[in-house]
């Protein structure tokens, strides 16, 4: 996760907020001098924080994750939430934040995020957030470790971005389809990560192997099982 400096973030937030508003007002065009004026800083200072206009606009998305992290610090016992509750909370909260500047998001999400040539800071922060959720959850099954890695976090991040894309196009009443889809996806993921069936299977296999001599003669099917394993 990128080091978070509250003082710097506050200035960058102000710049990005101003830029997104001006972008919508001018239908895609805005000037640094106008951004600086709205943010109450000198025009040259803008470039102390951002290399170009695109970076300013992309930061709007990055700061969604920063804002969310600050929000959950105020939620009592957030650490006790299940994985599904944490993921759905992030999705619903981000939908609310995106809705506040929906005209801007509708106009830029695909270009700035979905079709970006390189991984954006927004995407990186989502992956860090997902990793934090997984690392802090002591209810994950031991077998879930087999799929937990950087690629898995990237996969989940892509699913979240596709979910946002779906939300933007959702014309159902109060976007109920997006809410239902979020529930089903997060519940499925929780079942996948919490399910201990594979854990129990491994434990059974270890037990049978450790005591195979005792079982070979008494339980024919165990004998057949180990003979097939040995042949292979």
């Amino acid at each position: 996760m990128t080091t978070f400096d509250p003082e710097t973030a506050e200035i960058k937030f102000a710049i990005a907020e101003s830029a997104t508003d001006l972008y919508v007002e001018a239908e895609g065009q805005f000037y640094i001098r106008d951004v600086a004026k709205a943010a109450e800083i000198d025009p040259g200072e803008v470039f102390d924080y951002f290399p170009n206009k695109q970076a300013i606009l992309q930061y709007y998305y990055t700061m969604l994750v920063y804002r969310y992290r600050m929000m959950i610090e105020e939620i009592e016992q957030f650490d006790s939430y299940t994985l599904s509750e944490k993921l759905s909370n992030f999705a619903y909260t981000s939908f609310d934040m995106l809705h506040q500047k929906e005209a801007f998001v509708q106009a830029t999400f695909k270009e700035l995020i979905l079709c970006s040539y390189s991984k954006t800071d927004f995407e990186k922060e989502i992956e860090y957030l997902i990793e934090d959720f997984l690392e802090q959850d002591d209810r994950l099954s031991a077998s879930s470790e087999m799929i937990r890695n950087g690629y898995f976090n990237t996969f989940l991040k892509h699913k979240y971005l596709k979910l946002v894309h779906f939300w933007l196009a959702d014309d159902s009443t109060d976007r109920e389809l997006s809410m239902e889809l979020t529930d089903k996806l997060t519940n499925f993921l929780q079942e996948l990560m919490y399910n201990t069936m594979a854990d129990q299977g491994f434990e059974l296999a270890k037990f049978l192997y450790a005591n195979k001599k005792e079982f070979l003669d008494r339980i024919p099917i165990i004998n057949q099982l180990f003979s097939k394993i040995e042949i292979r």
Side-chain angles (χ1 to χ4, degrees), residues 138-157:
D138 58 7
R139 286 160 290 199
L140 300 182
S141 64
S143 55
S144 69
E145 289 291 335
M146 294 188 298
I147 61 173
R148 276 190 58 198
N149 52 45
Y151 294 110
F152 183 62
N153 295 341
T154 299
F155 170 77
L156 294 184
K157 178 259 301 180

Side-chain angles (χ1 to χ4, degrees), residues 56-164:
I56 297 174
L57 298 179
Q58 285 184 327
Y59 189 76
Y60 160 77
Y61 291 100
T62 305
M63 73 182 189
L64 294 177
V65 185
Y66 291 152
R67 288 169 60 193
Y68 178 72
R69 283 186 178 275
M70 289 187 285
M71 288 178 185
I72 61 178
E73 288 180 0
E74 303 300 321
I75 299 177
E76 292 186 9
Q77 300 183 329
F78 182 80
D79 289 343
S80 69
Y81 283 17
T82 64
L83 182 61
S84 174
E85 290 170 338
K86 287 181 178 179
L87 291 171
S88 59
N89 181 270
F90 170 61
Y92 296 148
T93 304
S94 66
F95 292 162
D96 288 341
M97 290 190 286
L98 291 166
H99 181 64
Q100 294 170 6
K101 290 188 179 289
E102 186 163 342
F104 170 76
V105 177
Q106 290 281 6
T108 63
F109 184 74
K110 184 176 181 179
E111 177 185 355
L112 294 179
I113 305 301
L114 285 184
C115 297
S116 174
Y117 291 111
S118 59
K119 184 182 291 188
T120 64
D121 288 341
F122 175 53
E123 294 173 273
K124 294 175 185 176
E125 292 301 327
I126 292 171
E127 291 182 19
Y128 295 144
L129 183 67
I130 291 171
E131 179 61 20
D132 285 347
F133 286 167
L134 294 174
E135 285 187 348
Q136 296 164 9
D137 198 326
D138 58 7
R139 286 160 290 199
L140 300 182
S141 64
S143 55
S144 69
E145 289 291 335
M146 294 188 298
I147 61 173
R148 276 190 58 198
N149 52 45
Y151 294 110
F152 183 62
N153 295 341
T154 299
F155 170 77
L156 294 184
K157 178 259 301 180
H158 280 305
K159 293 305 176 185
Y160 166 75
L161 296 181
K162 291 296 185 181
L163 186 61
V164 172

